Amino acid sequence: MHEVHIRPQWTIRQTDGAALAPRVIELLVQVLEHGSLSSACTASGVSYRHAWELIRQGEAMFGQPLVVMQRGKGSSLTPLGEKLVWADRRITARLSPLLDSLASELGAEIEKLIPTAPTLLRIHASHGFAIEALHGFLAAAQVPGDLRYCGSEEAVASLHHGSCDVAGFHVPLGAFEAEAVAHYGPWLNADTQKVIGMATRHQGLMVAPGNPKKIYTPADLARSDVRFINRQAGSGTRYLFDLQLREQGIAPEAIKGYEQCEFTHAAVAAFVASGMADAGYGVETPARQFKLDFISNQVERYFLLCEERSLAAPIVRRMLDILQSEAYQSAVNRLPGYQAVNCGRVLSLPEAFESLRPAPAGKRRTATRS
């Protein structure tokens, strides 16, 4: 298996052609992480002398300092240095999942032209940190795969049309579960499909540290002084958020920023951390990574959907072995807001979702698709 790797790299260029060396941004990120230039050098693998020269070149380009060094107190970034680090983190948050998906797709296309290439495990999935961890474990175990991130609805539709072997999607627990299952209903078949448990995770509001705008519920987003950043239409998170708005009688147009979207949870967190929005909606993990406050208001289950016949395939069995392993489940449990509940357990659709179970005699169970 030949893996394609794509990583975002950016720089700033002046009109005379002079450009900021990418290594400068890397050093600034490490200074912020470790609190000193010497520790940043160790983490980046560069000498102190070379690092200081790179910083000076960057400061000369902007005409102002990037790093402040205090004897006995380590190093800190100036507002400009912090803004460059923010830009780097936002680029990474927005592009990395998309580039990982593209790299996997390109790798799969290349493998098709190699006669000895192994069978690929094709996964189409809503982006999340448990599925991201699974991708890493599959690669480490040399399980050839083709992972493509998309919305939950698109993922289950892909499985229905035979475009993938496994589809990752999430369903809220509680009052919204039956309606969410009905939403995916056109692509679900209880007679031929199974779901594989993966994890539970918390969804909620991401807000600035200390919650200065006092945002606690979706209703607070309709205030005139609050700016919101949304997820894209078609994503499971956007669907869940819309269900909450409808339940609380909040018109989407009343929320400033409702139509402004990011494509990953991390990109939403980066947007809020930058101060460009006061709140976003998503999972807890990136909120903690960006040092935001998080107000959980929904627990949901993340599943992998597959055709029952594919469970006997060796490549799917290897995936199940990983899901059921202590190492993988420990990795998931370390993710803020995640728990490896029923991880690797194969269930029928009625076993997983109460709304798909036969109604008791004399009662009729209903679930409508929104």
Side-chain angles (χ1 to χ4, degrees), residues 223-297:
R223 297 200 324 247
S224 60
D225 66 327
V226 174
R227 299 162 299 160
F228 181 66
I229 179 66
N230 209 348
R231 285 292 305 280
Q232 81 279 13
S235 68
T237 296
R238 171 71 167 265
Y239 175 70
L240 172 61
F241 181 67
D242 286 347
L243 287 176
Q244 294 179 11
L245 294 186
R246 190 190 68 190
E247 181 191 50
Q248 298 181 35
I250 303 166
E253 56 269 22
I255 298 175
K256 188 185 301 182
Y258 176 87
E259 296 299 335
Q260 190 169 5
C261 305
E262 289 286 356
F263 283 78
T264 68
H265 296 281
V268 169
F271 203 93
V272 175
S274 73
M276 297 173 67
D278 301 304
Y281 193 80
V283 298
E284 184 173 354
T285 305
R288 301 307 181 192
Q289 291 173 346
F290 281 88
K291 298 179 173 57
L292 300 173
D293 282 5
F294 182 79
I295 298 98
S296 174
N297 70 356

Side-chain angles (χ1 to χ4, degrees), residues 19-341:
L20 184 69
R23 212 70 194 271
V24 173
I25 299 167
E26 180 184 336
L27 283 167
L28 294 177
V29 169
Q30 296 300 332
V31 168
L32 185 64
E33 287 289 326
H34 299 285
S36 75
L37 184 57
S38 60
S39 296
C41 293
T42 301
S44 300
V46 298
S47 69
Y48 188 88
R49 180 177 180 180
H50 182 53
W52 187 234
E53 181 58 30
L54 286 170
I55 296 295
R56 284 181 171 175
Q57 289 175 8
E59 293 178 336
M61 176 179 168
F62 288 107
Q64 57 180 292
L66 299 174
V67 177
V68 176
M69 302 181 68
Q70 296 179 296
R71 186 179 299 276
K73 295 185 179 181
S75 308
S76 60
L77 301 183
T78 65
L80 176 58
E82 290 180 351
K83 186 61 71 173
L84 292 173
V85 171
W86 161 80
D88 182 74
R89 287 180 169 173
R90 187 169 179 219
I91 288 168
T92 300
R94 173 180 279 189
L95 295 183
S96 287
L98 301 177
L99 293 179
D100 287 345
S101 184
L102 177 60
S104 184
E105 181 179 346
L106 295 176
E109 291 301 315
I110 292 170
E111 291 296 310
K112 289 178 182 178
L113 300 179
I114 301 174
T116 58
T119 301
L120 297 176
L121 177 62
R122 301 172 302 162
I123 303 175
H124 290 191
S126 172
H127 180 259
F129 294 86
I131 195 75
E132 193 175 272
L134 176 61
H135 182 54
F137 272 77
L138 288 169
Q142 297 185 333
V143 177
D146 176 12
L147 171 63
R148 303 188 189 185
Y149 290 126
C150 55
S152 285
E153 188 173 342
E154 183 180 345
V156 296
S158 294
L159 182 76
H160 176 78
H161 295 300
S163 301
C164 65
D165 304 304
V166 177
F169 71 113
H170 46 97
V171 175
L173 285 167
F176 297 132
E177 179 179 303
E179 187 166 355
V181 172
H183 178 75
Y184 299 123
W187 304 286
L188 301 180
N189 188 328
D191 294 329
T192 65
Q193 295 173 338
K194 297 287 187 181
V195 291
I196 304 166
M198 197 170 187
T200 61
R201 65 184 193 178
H202 286 257
Q203 292 257 35
L205 292 165
M206 307 178 192
V207 297
N211 197 5
K213 290 289 183 75
K214 307 303 178 185
I215 301 166
Y216 298 105
T217 71
D220 293 324
L221 302 174
R223 297 200 324 247
S224 60
D225 66 327
V226 174
R227 299 162 299 160
F228 181 66
I229 179 66
N230 209 348
R231 285 292 305 280
Q232 81 279 13
S235 68
T237 296
R238 171 71 167 265
Y239 175 70
L240 172 61
F241 181 67
D242 286 347
L243 287 176
Q244 294 179 11
L245 294 186
R246 190 190 68 190
E247 181 191 50
Q248 298 181 35
I250 303 166
E253 56 269 22
I255 298 175
K256 188 185 301 182
Y258 176 87
E259 296 299 335
Q260 190 169 5
C261 305
E262 289 286 356
F263 283 78
T264 68
H265 296 281
V268 169
F271 203 93
V272 175
S274 73
M276 297 173 67
D278 301 304
Y281 193 80
V283 298
E284 184 173 354
T285 305
R288 301 307 181 192
Q289 291 173 346
F290 281 88
K291 298 179 173 57
L292 300 173
D293 282 5
F294 182 79
I295 298 98
S296 174
N297 70 356
Q298 180 66 60
V299 178
E300 60 184 10
R301 293 181 291 171
Y302 195 106
F303 291 99
L304 299 175
L305 179 71
C306 67
E307 295 295 330
E308 183 174 10
R309 64 178 181 273
S310 69
L311 290 170
I315 200 166
V316 176
R317 296 302 310 173
R318 293 179 70 186
M319 180 191 73
L320 286 172
D321 288 342
I322 289 173
L323 289 170
Q324 294 165 3
S325 70
E326 182 178 347
Y328 174 75
Q329 293 181 19
S330 294
V332 171
N333 288 330
R334 287 194 295 271
L335 297 169
Y338 277 80
Q339 281 190 298
V341 176

